[in-house]
Amino acid sequence: MATPTGVSVLDTMLNGGLPEQRAVLLIGGPGTGKTTMGMQFLQDGIERGEECLFVSTEQTPGELADSFAPYDFDLDDENLSIETVHATTGSTVDSQEPELVLNSLGDQPRAGDAHDNGDGRDTPMGGFSTPFTGEFVMEALEHYAPCDRVVFDSVSGLEAIAEDDQVFRRAVLDFIRLFTDRFGATAILTAEETSRSLGGDGGTSGMLQFNTHGVIRLWREQIDGDYHRFVQI
């Protein structure tokens, strides 16, 4: 079965929508509408009474609210959860030297014996932070299961979890399986078109297309002095 995207033209091109309980990669340059399209996908789910999750690796919930202010998105709907997970500098139990640690700001408390350190970040007891690894990022998301729709915006924000491309690709595959298998969700993962995760060649031939069920590319071109938006499936 197909899961509608909430964009009628795109649904027609997709023969009804995205493959149910599968992950699709949405790529494009800055300002091409990836985040907005992802939220439109969740808004369609909200209107159908489905459980939806928006995960951002780049913006806080407040920044997302500002970005979505021009649109009629129901960000306060009880069926929508918003979680942000991104890397910041801190210290872990294993090492007090500065390193990348997990910063999580979401609708629900993270699992485990964490507490709020006063600046909006959850940190383990003792004042130390959680390392920014795929394992701990997934742990921060697991309590949102089950879920019908997930948008992960963006995969490019996870590039710090692994220096090796193949290790990174495997980590992203673990996220996809988390969303589609454990959550039972239809998922959209966004990525910058020129990111390392796509091979850095500006095309759709990068490593992540082999992890997902399909690729949707967004871009803009200036024609006769006006910018026009394009989509390729």
Side-chain angles (χ1 to χ4, degrees):
M1 294 181 61
T3 302
T5 66
V7 181
S8 58
V9 174
L10 185 58
D11 286 339
T12 299
M13 297 172 68
L14 292 168
N15 295 319
L18 305 180
E20 189 175 24
Q21 295 186 12
R22 294 291 185 269
V24 170
L25 185 64
L26 178 63
I27 66 173
T32 53
K34 300 184 299 297
T35 302
T36 302
M37 181 176 290
M39 188 59 222
Q40 181 62 55
F41 170 68
L42 297 185
Q43 179 65 34
D44 184 81
I46 291 171
E47 294 172 359
R48 297 172 187 271
E50 298 175 354
E51 291 290 334
C52 299
L53 171 64
F54 190 105
V55 182
S56 176
T57 63
E58 299 175 346
Q59 295 179 281
T60 66
E63 290 169 341
L64 286 170
D66 290 341
S67 298
F68 293 144
Y71 305 95
D72 294 327
F73 294 146
D74 298 327
L75 300 183
D76 296 323
D77 192 277
E78 62 180 6
N79 288 333
L80 173 66
S81 297
I82 297 177
E83 173 72 79
T84 70
V85 287
H86 59 273
T88 188
T89 303
S91 300
T92 66
V93 174
D94 294 332
S95 173
Q96 296 188 34
E97 294 296 323
E99 61 178 284
L100 291 180
V101 297
L102 175 62
N103 188 341
S104 175
L105 300 168
D107 290 339
Q108 304 178 33
R110 292 215 329 253
D113 55 353
H115 73 285
D116 191 337
N117 68 3
D119 65 358
R121 289 179 296 170
D122 292 330
T123 58
M125 298 298 292
F128 293 103
S129 299
T130 302
F132 188 72
T133 66
E135 177 184 359
F136 284 114
V137 173
M138 284 196 292
E139 182 179 318
L141 301 177
E142 284 182 338
H143 61 268
Y144 289 105
C147 192
D148 298 300
R149 302 186 186 210
V150 174
V151 169
F152 195 95
D153 181 51
S154 71
V155 177
S156 304
L158 292 178
E159 291 180 355
I161 66 177
E163 295 182 2
D164 180 84
D165 287 345
Q166 294 306 316
V167 173
F168 175 72
R169 177 183 174 185
R170 182 68 193 186
V172 173
L173 181 58
D174 289 340
F175 278 96
I176 291 173
R177 288 176 173 169
L178 173 70
F179 298 144
T180 60
D181 297 348
R182 174 159 166 67
F183 281 44
T186 303
I188 289 178
L189 287 75
T190 74
E192 292 294 328
E193 190 168 21
T194 57
S195 72
R196 189 191 86 192
S197 58
L198 296 173
D201 59 5
T204 61
S205 60
M207 67 180 77
L208 291 188
Q209 71 166 328
F210 301 107
N211 286 11
T212 56
H213 199 76
V215 178
I216 299 174
R217 180 188 174 223
L218 305 178
W219 77 96
R220 299 189 306 167
E221 289 185 16
Q222 191 173 32
I223 301 176
D224 295 331
D226 295 320
Y227 277 103
H228 295 261
R229 297 180 182 272
F230 296 87
V231 58
Q232 180 183 37
I233 300 172

